[in-house]
Amino acid sequence: AARGLADATAKMVDAAKVSARDPGNVDAQAALKSATEDLRMAVNAAANNALKKKLIKKLEIVAKHTAAAATQCIAAAQGAGPTNRNQSSQQQLLTNCKTVADHIGKLVQAVRASLASPESPSSQLGLINASQAMIQPCGKMIAASKAAVPTVGDQAAALQLANCAKQTATCLADLRSAAAKAAEACGSLEVESAIDVVRQLEADLHSIQKTAASGKLLPLPGETAESCALELGATSKTVGASMAQLLTAAAQGNENYTGIAARDTANALKVLSGSVRGVAAATNDRSAQDQIVATAIHVMSHSRRLIEEAKKAIANPQNPDNQSRLAQAAKAVSQALNQVINCLPGQRDVDAAIKEIAAASVALTTGQYPSAGPDQSFQDVQTGLSVAAAALNVSASELVANSRGTHAQLAQSSQKFAGKYKAMLHSGLTLAGVSKEKSARNEIVGYLRSVSMSSTKLLMATKALSADPNAPNVKNNLAAAARGVTDAINALVTVCTAAAPGQRECDNALRKIQTTGAMLQNPVEPVNDSTYFACLDAVMENSKVLGEAMGDITKHAKAERHEDFGSAVGTAATAVCALTENAAQAAYLVAISDSSSTAAVSGLVDSSQFARAQQAIQQACEQLLNPSSAQAQVLSSATVIAKHTSALCNACKTASGKTKNPVAKRKFVQSAKDVATCTAGLVKNIKALAGTLNEQNRGDCSASTRPLLDAINDLVEFASAAEFASVSAKISPQARAAQAPIVTAGSNMLTSSSNLISSAKSLAVNPRDAATWQLLASHSKAVSDAIRKLVAAVKDKSPGQLECDKAIELLNMAINEVDQASLAAISSKLAPSTESTLEGFHTVMMSNVNEISDFIEPVSSAAKADPEKLGHVVTNFANYFVPLSKAAVGAASKTANHERQMSVLEQTKTLAESALQLMYAAKECGGNVSAHEAHASVNEAVENMVEAVQDLKGTLEIAASEAGLTAGMVGSIHKATDTLDEPIHGEVGRTFAEYQESVSAAAKEIMIKAQDMVGKAASSPSELGVISKDATTVYCSMAGNCRGALATIDNDDISERLKAACKRLGGALGELLQCAGSVQSNPTDFQGKKELSDSARQVTTQVASVLAALQAGAKGTQACINAVDNIKGIISDLDTVIMFASTGLLNKEEDADTFGEHREDILRTAKSLVEDTKKLVSGAAASQEQLAVAAEASAGTIRVLAEHVKLGAAALTSDDQEAQVLLLNAVRDVASSLGSLVTATKNAFGKSVQDPTMEHLRSCAKAQIDWRTISPLPRSICRRW
């Protein structure tokens, strides 16, 4: 290690010497940079062990502090609960606290393990992992705590919660930093540790196998077969997702994220191992025990091999065989996981049913048919098939219902379903056998194959739901599979049976309705992508269709037009199914929009949307490849595929823009490209198939669908990782009650529609039966009433309306309270409040105003396009106004200045009134994206609210600055600092260079204000508040620009460096403001002034860190910014010299000095500036290093030229005053033009030739050439002298 360090040092010194001899040599600079990086790595390697110990020790200390602070925050959150006016936010806070409490225990255990075994790599990694796992949930708890503070009625509890949240945030920042540094030092151990963990799990499973063989394997307390089976099913998905992350990171050669993925995989396998033990212990079947443990051992063995292959891939990322070896190992793990799932209770029986169906379906390929009985006629065989098909449909419904039941119920229903399928298959083959025409037999066999495929899909969907009921979209997949079975049965019965007129159509419709009814049983997840108002429109439209179809049924039954009658029945059934689906979706949206429910938390991707798109594309591909599909169905399939693949590609693009994980960013981009490429190829073949429906074109489509489906499956598996997933909404009992009117009306509509079609079935046979006509009329009235109630229920339950009414009531209360206080203040009867101090009231007001400001945009978005979120955001939004009004009254009562007193009250009232206007507009709009006129009202109200917030904030900041109250300003700085962790959604409006310039200017301004504070502390302490306010405004603006810069930096290391520097600057500035407040309130405090000076120096240091991070992000553009600043200084100096020359006071210092002595220097430097300018202009299309060299050279040359011209002008003496001024003005114009050219070069850097900034650069370059040659008169002076 010492030799390597010495060699690296020598190389770095040599590279530095070469670079110093030729500063403009880009290759030399690159060599120096490489040598410096090698030296850093050598230093890390030499001091690795000592560094690890130091970092782990620091992490242990920080972890203890974080655990203690988080525990106090949890206690404060629980204490604030009884007086929190917003129970929704309180519930969310307690949920986050519960999650953090679980992580605290794991973190404490990891700290103890590390203290007990400080040299153990596994204990070190355990501490790092526990610390990193603590960061995200603790961050959510802190955010929830800060959001809850303004609505806590007890001031002491609110203060305690705020202080604890602040302390926890500080500790968490230290934990994040310490964990990151420790992970970097110990990162190489992640993969090795994961291999050791998996190897140990394999050994543990062998021990469990031996214990089971001896009959001593017993379940742990609280373990049941059902709970362990559910955990095993869910964990298998987690293992699969972690495996996908591992494959992607290893394939990209990213060592850091490969280690993280290996760790996550090992942790998931640990949970899987415990679940396997629980399942094995809960069963008395020895063969089942051996089977599940043995398959779990295979999972561990193959997983270990996968991680080892990932390690090899990282060690040699250029090996082309890496991808194939990783894919083979992953495939082996996936197969082993499936075998484990197949061993679960209930799963084995479903698997057996699938095998039974597959074995029975072999008869479809033999060409042999069972013969009918001697007494059976053709009609008897047809009747038998109809009965068997109906029994299979009923059995499918039972299977769907029991998929959510016990394992015994699932086993029984799956076995029954397999038996009913075999009976139906036998009847169908018998019918095919008695058919005389070969084409008829082939047609029947084709429809039987369709039933076979749909039956297998139903069992697979049942199996998936049973294994993991909480997986995204599994319930919808099961419902779709059940509908597929019904559709296949209906198609078979339609073709194979002959019945009385209208009977077949009615039976098909009844089966279809029966299958759809399951949607309304428990609508707790979305069934499609429709919004609430789309559901309402669909309900209205299909209600009309159903009403017309009922009239047609009656009309055609009377006229005995049987074909039209059958068509009307089919239309009615389709409308009923559509009504049911949209009613179920509307009921779900009503439930999640209820303010008592816990709102969903959006993740990086919507896993449910991905799963629904995957399902829709698979179904479209199947329809596309179906030989019986007509041209219209082919085109419809193409539309569905194009729609959903486009949505997936857009989601991938959005996700890649949001995530900071470089592996995920590249994976999402690549997945979008793969899906788009495969879709383009498929669409091309679909066009050919739509033009000519033949086997060759269909075969081409089949070949094109396989890569598309593989790409989508790979994407969905990768996106299912917990890191990207959304958190589903939790529906409360109150929300379930809100669903009841829609669910009840929908269920009544289903029942009455079924009764109507049953009555119509009888009328089709006997249209003269008066009793049946009366029964049909009764059922028609029942259907009409149910439809009317369903439409009314969907309209009445529009999300957010009730919450808007409650918010309006709260806002009116707040306005009335402020009005009463204003009247009292006018008559000088507003008594000072004793509940808090002026600073306390100001802090509460600023906190509430900040929260209100943050909610303006969410309320606007929900009001215009997201009705499901409207109730939640409106409730939280309105709850901040009551404490705001109380604090405003309290602050006014403590304010001596009557004008300021009235200003606070009036502006608070204005803010509340603008919020009231927004609530009325939001209620009217209701989240309807089509209500464009109402959108205008919302936009107007939002503008008024933003203006009112700014006015009140300004008043509070001025009042606070005059009184020396810094808590509100420090809070604003902390809030701005927190936003640095939030990514920018959507397109970034400016380039990095523009953000860099803004951040750089703001940082320098903050540094100037910090120095001003030091001066004012001694001369005029009363002005410190105003400077503090200005510094706060500048920093908040800088934080917003810094977010933009972070979004446009490609290098993640530099991004983190810039973010950390801006955060440190915010912390230092906050401490400076607190010191300034202390000095302002006590101007004679010398210790306070010393602390102020120290804090100012710290701010200066952090400003330097920000500027250094900006320069590292783009050295060239930062050099341009610095050059422009230097040129401005040169111009300012020239202006001063010109003023002296204009008054005749510019003379040479030595009598012997002549202009001729400076003439050659001026001309030579001007020529050098010509060359530097050329390099500067070309630097816009070069590298950052080349641009930096050119900008620095240009700034240096213009400085030298200005000095020579000043000396030359002085040599002319005041006797030639006009020539002096002309010469100085000429060089000033050159400097000004050069400054514009440097700015234009900076803005044009990296842009295309057609970009407008390039045209501006060309014009600036032309202007610079005109000035660079110096104006005619000074040239004549040069010639004269």
Side-chain angles (χ1 to χ4, degrees):
R3 181 178 297 174
L5 181 60
D7 292 343
T9 304
K11 289 179 181 177
M12 193 273 291
V13 171
D14 292 341
K17 289 178 180 178
V18 173
S19 182
R21 285 196 295 269
D22 187 5
N25 191 324
V26 177
D27 294 334
Q29 291 180 347
L32 176 59
K33 183 178 180 181
S34 176
T36 306
E37 183 64 23
D38 292 342
L39 178 60
R40 186 185 70 82
M41 294 174 64
V43 169
N44 287 343
N48 197 30
N49 289 331
L51 182 64
K52 279 183 186 177
K53 289 181 181 179
K54 181 180 178 181
L55 292 175
I56 292 296
K57 193 66 181 175
K58 182 178 180 180
L59 181 58
E60 289 170 354
I61 295 171
V62 172
K64 287 180 184 177
H65 292 165
T66 304
T71 303
Q72 292 177 351
C73 190
I74 292 172
Q78 293 171 339
T83 58
N84 191 342
R85 286 179 290 272
N86 187 349
Q87 284 304 306
S88 177
S89 68
Q90 180 66 23
Q91 184 59 42
Q92 187 175 2
L93 173 59
L94 293 179
T95 301
N96 289 324
C97 288
K98 184 179 179 182
T99 305
V100 171
D102 295 337
H103 285 282
I104 288 175
K106 296 175 182 177
L107 183 63
V108 171
Q109 289 177 357
V111 171
R112 289 174 180 170
S114 180
L115 291 171
S117 305
E119 302 296 332
S120 170
S122 61
S123 63
Q124 292 174 354
L125 285 173
L127 177 60
I128 293 171
N129 294 342
S131 300
Q132 290 176 334
M134 180 77 172
I135 292 171
Q136 185 179 15
C138 197
K140 290 182 178 179
M141 182 185 73
I142 292 168
S145 299
K146 291 179 178 179
V149 166
T151 56
V152 176
D154 187 339
Q155 291 297 319
L159 182 62
Q160 177 70 6
L161 181 58
N163 290 338
C164 288
K166 182 179 178 181
Q167 181 63 29
T168 307
T170 303
C171 292
L172 187 63
D174 294 340
L175 181 69
R176 181 185 285 108
S177 175
K181 292 177 181 177
E184 183 179 0
C186 306
S188 59
L189 301 177
E190 288 273 18
V191 177
E192 288 289 349
S193 176
I195 293 172
D196 292 340
V197 168
V198 177
R199 186 180 289 114
Q200 183 59 47
L201 291 174
E202 190 175 351
D204 293 344
L205 285 170
H206 280 293
S207 300
I208 292 171
Q209 197 173 36
K210 293 177 181 177
T211 306
S214 63
K216 296 180 180 178
L217 186 62
L218 299 174
L220 298 175
E223 281 187 346
T224 63
E226 283 76 13
S227 64
C228 291
L230 289 174
E231 185 179 48
L232 179 57
T235 308
S236 67
K237 298 286 181 63
T238 306
V239 173
S242 301
M243 182 177 65
Q245 301 278 333
L246 180 64
L247 285 173
T248 304
Q252 293 181 11
N254 191 310
E255 183 178 3
N256 181 29
Y257 282 91
T258 300
I260 293 172
R263 176 197 69 201
D264 293 343
T265 302
N267 290 338
L269 289 171
K270 194 180 296 183
V271 179
L272 181 78
S273 176
S275 303
V276 166
R277 186 205 176 280
V279 172
T283 181
N284 297 321
D285 187 341
R286 280 287 302 117
S287 64
Q289 285 182 331
D290 284 340
Q291 189 179 12
I292 192 168
V293 175
T295 52
I297 291 172
H298 290 154
V299 170
M300 301 303 164
S301 175
H302 291 306
S303 298
R304 179 164 49 82
R305 178 176 165 245
L306 173 62
I307 299 174
E308 289 171 348
E309 291 294 344
K311 180 183 176 183
K312 293 177 184 176
I314 289 296
N316 186 13
Q318 305 303 324
N319 190 336
D321 297 332
N322 286 343
Q323 199 70 31
S324 60
R325 290 204 308 268
L326 286 169
Q328 290 172 3
K331 185 177 180 181
V333 175
S334 181
Q335 290 173 348
L337 281 170
N338 288 334
Q339 290 173 1
V340 171
I341 297 300
N342 291 340
C343 294
L344 288 174
Q347 296 286 311
R348 293 193 298 269
D349 300 285
V350 177
D351 220 30
I354 292 173
K355 291 177 181 177
E356 278 189 59
I357 289 176
S361 298
V362 172
L364 293 170
T365 62
T366 61
Q368 298 177 357
Y369 307 102
S371 58
D375 297 332
Q376 280 188 308
S377 64
F378 187 82
Q379 286 75 20
D380 292 336
V381 176
Q382 284 184 323
T383 303
L385 177 59
S386 297
V387 172
L392 180 62
N393 193 67
V394 171
S395 182
S397 299
E398 293 176 358
L399 181 63
V400 171
N402 289 331
S403 62
R404 303 178 182 88
T406 63
H407 294 148
Q409 290 172 328
L410 178 60
Q412 182 181 2
S413 58
S414 59
Q415 290 169 2
K416 182 180 177 182
F417 181 79
K420 297 296 183 184
Y421 170 79
K422 288 191 286 186
M424 187 278 306
L425 181 64
H426 182 270
S427 298
L429 289 174
T430 302
L431 182 62
V434 299
S435 299
K436 297 178 180 179
E437 297 180 5
K438 183 178 179 180
S439 60
R441 286 198 299 268
N442 291 339
E443 189 175 16
I444 292 171
V445 169
Y447 282 105
L448 287 172
R449 283 200 184 99
S450 178
V451 175
S452 172
M453 289 173 57
S454 59
S455 298
T456 302
K457 285 182 184 177
L458 176 61
L459 287 170
M460 295 292 290
T462 303
K463 187 177 174 184
L465 177 64
S466 174
D468 186 9
N470 296 318
N473 214 46
V474 287
K475 295 183 180 69
N476 289 337
N477 286 342
L478 180 61
R483 290 196 297 273
V485 171
T486 299
D487 292 341
I489 290 172
N490 286 346
L492 175 67
V493 171
T494 300
V495 170
C496 299
T497 63
Q503 303 303 290
R504 191 167 50 202
E505 291 82 357
C506 289
D507 288 337
N508 289 349
L510 289 171
R511 279 192 291 268
K512 199 171 181 179
I513 292 172
Q514 180 187 5
T515 306
T516 310
M519 288 184 180
L520 287 171
Q521 290 178 358
N522 191 23
V524 292
E525 70 173 23
V527 296
N528 54 42
D529 294 323
S530 298
T531 64
Y532 190 84
F533 287 97
C535 290
L536 176 59
D537 292 341
V539 167
M540 298 284 288
E541 181 180 349
N542 284 286
S543 298
K544 183 179 179 182
V545 171
L546 180 56
E548 292 173 354
M550 287 193 302
D552 290 342
I553 289 172
T554 303
K555 181 173 65 176
H556 297 318
K558 281 183 179 178
E560 299 186 25
R561 291 195 289 266
H562 300 303
E563 186 175 342
D564 293 337
F565 172 83
S567 176
V569 169
T571 301
T574 302
V576 168
C577 292
L579 280 168
T580 305
E581 180 179 333
N582 285 285
Q585 176 73 359
Y588 165 76
L589 295 176
V590 164
I592 65 169
S593 66
D594 193 280
S595 59
S596 62
S597 294
T598 303
V601 179
S602 300
L604 191 65
V605 297
D606 186 345
S607 51
S608 295
Q609 179 198 6
F610 273 44
R612 289 195 297 273
Q614 181 187 30
Q615 177 193 358
I617 293 169
Q618 286 174 345
Q619 291 176 346
C621 288
E622 289 170 6
Q623 185 179 21
L624 182 69
L625 303 179
N626 191 336
S628 62
S629 295
Q631 184 185 42
Q633 292 171 309
V634 169
L635 294 175
S636 173
S637 298
T639 302
V640 171
I641 291 170
K643 171 187 172 184
H644 288 286
T645 52
S646 175
L648 287 177
C649 290
N650 290 334
C652 286
K653 181 181 177 182
T654 303
S656 67
K658 289 181 181 179
T659 182
K660 286 295 182 182
N661 181 336
V663 174
K665 187 185 290 288
R666 289 178 60 186
K667 176 64 176 178
F668 281 122
V669 170
Q670 187 60 46
S671 294
K673 289 181 180 177
D674 292 343
V675 171
T677 303
C678 295
T679 303
L682 178 58
V683 168
K684 181 180 178 182
N685 290 326
I686 289 175
K687 289 180 180 178
L689 178 62
T692 307
L693 294 171
N694 57 34
E695 289 303 318
Q696 181 180 348
N697 288 338
R698 208 175 292 277
D700 292 340
C701 285
S702 177
S704 300
T705 57
R706 282 191 291 272
L708 175 61
L709 293 175
D710 289 343
I712 290 173
N713 292 339
D714 178 59
L715 170 61
V716 171
E717 184 174 21
F718 180 81
S720 63
E723 177 186 355
F724 311 133
S726 304
V727 178
S728 301
K730 295 181 180 177
I731 298 175
S732 66
Q734 181 180 334
R736 288 184 183 276
Q739 285 181 320
I742 297 177
V743 173
T744 302
S747 299
N748 291 340
M749 184 270 300
L750 272 174
T751 303
S752 54
S753 297
S754 297
N755 294 336
L756 173 71
I757 292 175
S758 297
S759 301
K761 180 181 176 183
S762 301
L763 279 178
V765 178
N766 186 9
R768 309 299 178 192
D769 188 349
T772 307
W773 276 110
Q774 187 174 359
L775 187 62
L776 179 68
S778 174
H779 291 320
S780 297
K781 184 177 183 304
V783 172
S784 299
D785 291 343
I787 291 173
R788 191 163 49 253
K789 290 179 181 178
L790 176 61
V791 172
V794 175
K795 282 184 176 179
D796 292 344
K797 290 297 179 179
S798 183
Q801 296 300 301
L802 181 62
E803 288 80 2
C804 285
D805 289 335
K806 292 180 179 178
I808 289 169
E809 185 179 350
L810 280 176
L811 289 168
N812 282 323
M813 288 172 54
I815 292 171
N816 289 337
E817 184 172 9
V818 175
D819 277 338
Q820 295 297 322
S822 298
L823 292 173
I826 291 172
S827 57
S828 301
K829 294 181 180 179
L830 186 60
S833 174
T834 58
E835 292 183 2
S836 184
T837 62
L838 178 60
E839 182 174 7
F841 285 127
H842 270 228
T843 302
V844 172
M845 285 189 72
M846 186 60 78
S847 174
N848 280 280
V849 170
N850 285 333
E851 293 295 336
I852 289 168
S853 178
D854 289 344
F855 267 99
I856 293 175
E857 181 56 34
V859 169
S860 172
S861 300
K864 290 189 287 187
D866 205 347
E868 297 78 33
K869 294 181 180 178
L870 183 59
H872 295 285
V873 294
V874 160
T875 299
N876 291 328
F877 175 75
N879 277 322
Y880 292 114
F881 280 89
V882 173
L884 174 65
S885 62
K886 291 183 180 299
V889 172
S893 70
K894 292 280 189 178
T895 302
N897 186 319
H898 180 72
E899 184 179 349
R900 179 64 50 74
Q901 188 181 56
M902 294 305 299
S903 178
V904 168
L905 291 173
E906 287 174 4
Q907 289 179 351
T908 303
K909 180 183 177 183
T910 301
L911 179 59
E913 287 175 340
S914 61
L916 186 64
Q917 179 191 1
L918 179 59
M919 287 300 98
Y920 279 119
K923 181 181 179 184
E924 180 186 359
C925 197
N928 189 350
V929 71
S930 302
H932 300 296
E933 293 182 3
H935 289 185
S937 300
V938 172
N939 293 334
E940 181 184 355
V942 166
E943 290 176 5
N944 293 337
M945 275 231 55
V946 170
E947 185 178 349
V949 164
Q950 290 173 347
D951 290 344
L952 183 55
K953 266 188 177 181
T955 299
L956 292 175
E957 287 172 354
I958 291 171
S961 64
E962 291 176 354
L965 307 178
T966 61
M969 290 182 280
V970 173
S972 297
I973 289 174
H974 288 161
K975 192 171 185 64
T977 302
D978 291 340
T979 62
L980 294 173
D981 291 319
E982 301 172 4
I984 293 179
H985 302 310
E987 295 293 330
V988 180
R990 304 192 304 180
T991 63
F992 175 76
E994 293 169 328
Y995 285 120
Q996 181 185 27
E997 185 174 12
S998 300
V999 174
S1000 179
K1004 291 175 182 177
E1005 187 175 354
I1006 289 172
M1007 182 172 63
I1008 293 171
K1009 291 189 180 300
Q1011 298 306 320
D1012 288 347
M1013 285 186 185
V1014 176
K1016 295 296 183 182
S1019 61
S1020 182
S1022 61
E1023 296 182 22
L1024 286 174
V1026 177
I1027 301 175
S1028 298
K1029 172 183 172 295
D1030 293 341
T1032 301
T1033 304
V1034 172
Y1035 180 81
C1036 292
S1037 174
M1038 189 194 85
N1041 287 316
C1042 185
R1043 285 180 65 203
L1046 294 173
T1048 51
I1049 293 179
D1050 295 330
N1051 189 307
D1052 293 317
D1053 292 336
I1054 295 176
S1055 175
E1056 289 300 321
R1057 179 180 169 187
L1058 176 59
K1059 184 196 294 183
C1062 288
K1063 285 185 174 182
R1064 289 196 301 271
L1065 176 57
L1069 183 59
E1071 293 177 2
L1072 177 63
L1073 296 190
Q1074 290 176 332
C1075 294
S1078 299
V1079 172
Q1080 185 175 358
S1081 59
N1082 187 7
T1084 60
D1085 183 3
F1086 293 103
Q1087 180 62 30
K1089 292 180 180 179
K1090 181 178 181 302
E1091 291 176 357
L1092 175 65
S1093 179
D1094 293 341
S1095 297
R1097 278 196 295 273
Q1098 185 62 25
V1099 168
T1100 302
T1101 301
Q1102 299 307 330
V1103 166
S1105 298
V1106 171
L1107 296 178
L1110 288 171
Q1111 185 164 0
K1115 184 179 179 181
T1117 50
Q1118 184 62 42
C1120 289
I1121 294 170
N1122 295 338
V1124 170
D1125 289 342
N1126 293 335
I1127 291 171
K1128 287 179 180 177
I1130 293 169
I1131 293 172
S1132 177
D1133 182 48
L1134 287 171
D1135 286 337
T1136 304
V1137 177
I1138 290 170
M1139 181 183 68
F1140 279 101
S1142 300
T1143 56
L1145 298 176
L1146 182 63
N1147 290 296
K1148 56 188 176 182
E1149 295 180 2
E1150 298 180 7
D1151 294 337
D1153 192 12
T1154 63
F1155 181 80
E1157 296 177 6
H1158 303 288
R1159 178 177 176 277
E1160 291 302 323
D1161 291 335
I1162 293 173
L1163 294 175
R1164 186 179 63 254
T1165 309
K1167 290 179 181 178
S1168 298
L1169 186 60
V1170 171
E1171 300 302 320
D1172 291 339
T1173 303
K1174 291 179 180 178
K1175 292 179 182 178
L1176 179 65
V1177 174
S1178 63
S1183 66
Q1184 287 279 355
E1185 288 75 11
Q1186 290 171 318
L1187 178 61
V1189 171
E1192 290 166 0
S1194 298
T1197 304
I1198 191 64
R1199 182 184 295 107
V1200 174
L1201 179 61
E1203 290 298 325
H1204 287 317
V1205 169
K1206 284 192 293 184
L1207 291 172
L1212 291 174
T1213 72
S1214 57
D1215 295 336
D1216 201 349
Q1217 179 180 335
E1218 183 181 358
Q1220 282 183 323
V1221 173
L1222 286 172
L1223 185 61
L1224 290 168
N1225 274 324
V1227 76
R1228 185 194 182 283
D1229 291 338
V1230 171
S1232 177
S1233 181
L1234 180 62
S1236 299
L1237 180 63
V1238 173
T1239 301
T1241 304
K1242 173 183 68 68
N1243 294 336
F1245 180 79
K1247 300 291 180 61
S1248 65
V1249 180
Q1250 292 77 21
D1251 194 278
T1253 55
M1254 294 297 287
E1255 181 61 33
H1256 180 60
L1257 173 61
R1258 283 190 286 269
S1259 63
C1260 288
K1262 184 178 179 181
Q1264 178 66 14
I1265 291 171
D1266 293 340
W1267 285 112
R1268 196 171 51 224
T1269 54
I1270 310 181
S1271 62
L1273 181 58
R1275 278 211 312 277
S1276 66
I1277 294 174
C1278 287
R1279 284 195 299 271
R1280 194 176 82 193
W1281 287 93

